[in-house]
Amino acid sequence: MYKEEFLKEAIKEAKKGLSEGGIPIGSVLVHDGKIVGRGHNRRIQKGSAILHGEMDALENAGRRPASFYRECQIYTTLSPCSMCSGAILLYGIPDVYIGENKTFMGEETLLESKGVNTTVINDQECIDMMTDFIANSPKLWNEDIGE
């Protein structure tokens, strides 16, 4: 079940990434009603090829058994890309809450085809944050999504 407070925490992560000069995408991993991992896109800050928001949240949750992830939910400010969707599928995370998919449509269809419950909130703050970032930093945005 969607809980607004977790999306707000993902938004805080996205804003943190933006304040660091990065791409404003944030995520939190939730288990048993508690945030166990949080992260934001740190490709720019760390010179990383893979540190998207969801990947950073998973990394910051630490090493866990597969059974743990099957009891989690992940909140992300933007529709998950192919890489992040693959990680969600690999670890069997059953529920994904998406802040918005208007500025970028990720692999929601793939996730749903594999039985993952996806909920798109289309939160205006998430939409505005990405719309502004894409307009102001098109080169970084296109680099991140592989165009």
Side-chain angles (χ1 to χ4, degrees):
M1 176 173 48
Y2 167 65
K3 296 202 175 182
E4 186 177 358
E5 71 246 33
F6 296 131
L7 181 60
K8 287 188 181 303
E9 290 300 314
I11 291 169
K12 285 181 188 176
E13 286 293 322
K15 289 178 178 179
K16 183 176 180 183
L18 184 61
S19 74
E20 295 169 352
I23 299 164
I25 303 168
S27 184
V28 295
L29 184 68
V30 177
H31 182 266
D32 199 23
K34 295 179 182 81
I35 295 173
V36 294
R38 58 177 60 239
H40 52 276
N41 187 302
R42 295 190 304 151
R43 288 187 70 250
I44 306 304
Q45 301 91 312
K46 295 287 187 178
S48 171
I50 62 169
L51 279 180
H52 284 193
E54 299 91 336
M55 302 298 279
D56 195 37
L58 287 165
E59 177 69 15
N60 290 327
R63 184 175 166 192
R64 307 283 184 150
S67 59
F68 177 85
Y69 295 107
R70 291 192 294 266
E71 298 171 347
C72 287
Q73 303 81 45
I74 195 162
Y75 286 73
T76 182
T77 59
L78 186 65
S79 185
C81 72
S82 300
M83 176 178 63
C84 296
S85 294
I88 289 164
L89 292 173
L90 177 67
Y91 291 111
I93 298 169
D95 299 293
V96 179
Y97 296 96
I98 300 164
E100 68 103 348
N101 65 1
K102 293 185 182 299
T103 61
F104 175 76
M105 172 62 81
E107 297 294 339
E108 294 167 35
T109 302
L110 172 64
L111 291 169
E112 291 164 358
S113 77
K114 301 291 186 178
V116 176
N117 301 310
T118 62
T119 303
V120 180
I121 292 103
N122 277 324
D123 177 85
Q124 194 61 50
E125 187 172 8
C126 292
I127 295 167
D128 293 344
M129 188 167 34
M130 282 309 301
T131 300
D132 291 346
F133 178 78
I134 293 167
N136 294 323
S137 302
K139 185 177 178 186
L140 282 180
W141 173 242
N142 289 328
E143 174 190 314
D144 195 55
I145 62 168
E147 293 199 8

